[in-house]
Amino acid sequence: LDLVTIDGKARGIITRNLITGEIERHAGHAVLLCTGGYGTVFYLSTNAVNSNPTAAWRCHKRGALFANPCYTQIHPTCIAQA
């Protein structure tokens, strides 16, 4: 839901627990967003439909840098058999 910054550095995140609906906070010395890429880029995908770049974009707007924004995850089991 949000990125926590202290003195201009990412130090944590605010999330919503998808089971309980509770808002949670997580602190750390570094923040990595491993969101699985764009879930709906491919017709067949093992990603959840909600896997999208929203979290990364929100963090970028707050000053975070991208390390690999073009990464797209797809599992071989989704590739059609000929």
Side-chain angles (χ1 to χ4, degrees):
L1 298 175
D2 204 357
L3 177 70
V4 176
T5 58
I6 298 173
D7 295 327
K9 296 180 181 178
R11 294 296 185 206
I13 57 172
I14 306 295
T15 63
R16 180 183 312 278
N17 184 311
L18 296 179
I19 296 172
T20 66
E22 293 181 59
I23 303 296
E24 300 175 351
R25 59 185 170 179
H26 306 275
H29 295 288
V31 175
L32 295 176
L33 297 176
C34 304
T35 60
Y38 305 92
T40 55
V41 164
F42 299 104
Y43 175 71
L44 297 174
S45 174
T46 55
N47 285 354
V49 174
N50 288 338
S51 289
N52 59 56
T54 302
W57 178 245
R58 285 181 182 173
C59 291
H60 176 68
K61 287 173 42 176
R62 299 274 311 265
L65 301 175
F66 282 106
N68 190 1
C70 63
Y71 175 76
T72 301
Q73 173 182 320
I74 186 166
H75 194 273
T77 58
C78 291
I79 299 172
Q81 299 284 324

